[in-house]
Amino acid sequence: MSENSESLQQYVQLMTQHQGALRAFIVSLMPGNPDVGDVLQETNLVLWQKREQFEKGSKFLAWAFTIARYQVMQQRDKAKRDGRLVFCDELMHSLSEPDTEDHDDEQQLRALEHCMNRLRAAERELIRHRYTKGCSLEDLAQHQSKSAGALRASLFRVRAALKKCVDRQLVEGDPA
């Protein structure tokens, strides 16, 4: 990729356009981890430093997910050295396999909405409270008189079920 003004502008546009997907991917690899923002920032830094290596016309998001996965692994190794609990290698690998199929955002949102509607009311409320209200699990746990660990486990199970459902919907086509 040559460093002319137009290609640089296109690259910045690609980076900006995919920030939400990158953050979501990193969150999926680091659920409940407060370092998500730092890893996203490091990922963006590496994406910028490697902008010359990006092949115009190739799948930017797949390339960015690969870089993000390596940044998550570096953060994971640092956490291990600091004595913090981290996912095992097998789980990390299975979580980090990005969906390489091209699905537009609207298609994914329809599938997610369909799958959200299939959840039990308590599961839907947990997802909404955590992600749309921006509430921490600790605050939610205190509000519901439950432990943060129990909510974290529930959230992990619900997210896994949602991912499976969304993937199935994307393969089968639009939900009816």
Side-chain angles (χ1 to χ4, degrees):
M1 178 176 197
S2 65
E3 279 283 314
N4 70 41
S5 174
E6 186 178 325
S7 63
L8 195 57
Q9 185 177 3
Q10 289 172 351
Y11 188 79
V12 169
Q13 188 175 12
L14 282 171
M15 282 184 67
T16 305
Q17 175 185 349
H18 294 295
Q19 286 301 292
L22 269 173
R23 176 176 280 284
F25 179 67
I26 293 168
V27 165
S28 75
L29 299 177
M30 303 172 64
N33 191 316
D35 297 329
V36 167
D38 293 340
V39 172
L40 178 61
Q41 188 174 357
E42 288 297 320
T43 300
N44 284 325
L45 181 62
V46 173
L47 285 169
W48 185 253
Q49 291 169 342
K50 294 184 177 235
R51 67 188 178 275
E52 291 288 327
Q53 296 173 19
F54 177 67
E55 294 179 25
K56 192 175 181 180
S58 64
K59 293 183 179 184
F60 178 83
L61 195 54
W63 184 64
F65 279 173
T66 300
I67 290 172
R69 187 176 71 240
Y70 283 113
Q71 293 306 307
V72 168
M73 288 172 21
Q74 283 182 355
Q75 181 67 28
R76 183 174 163 265
D77 290 344
K78 182 178 182 270
K80 254 188 194 175
R81 284 191 304 272
D82 293 345
R84 291 188 276 166
L85 183 63
V86 296
F87 287 146
C88 68
D89 292 337
E90 294 81 23
L91 179 59
M92 181 68 186
H93 178 71
S94 70
L95 289 173
S96 69
E97 288 300 315
D99 181 7
T100 56
E101 296 224 9
D102 283 329
H103 300 290
D104 66 22
D105 291 341
E106 192 163 319
Q107 192 179 20
Q108 290 178 340
L109 285 173
R110 280 194 309 268
L112 178 60
E113 184 177 334
H114 171 79
C115 294
M116 284 287 293
N117 288 332
R118 294 183 66 195
L119 293 175
R120 292 186 307 236
E123 294 170 331
R124 257 193 320 274
E125 183 57 28
L126 176 61
I127 292 287
R128 285 193 177 117
H129 199 78
R130 177 66 178 103
Y131 294 109
T132 61
K133 296 179 181 177
C135 182
S136 74
L137 281 178
E138 288 74 18
D139 292 340
L140 184 57
Q142 187 176 20
H143 176 72
Q144 293 186 353
S145 301
K146 295 182 178 178
S147 74
L151 282 182
R152 192 169 287 112
S154 295
L155 190 58
F156 183 81
R157 283 191 301 273
V158 172
R159 280 194 310 237
L162 275 174
K163 180 178 181 348
K164 187 175 181 178
C165 178
V166 167
D167 288 347
R168 187 173 50 247
Q169 288 301 315
L170 292 173
V171 167
E172 294 173 1
D174 283 338

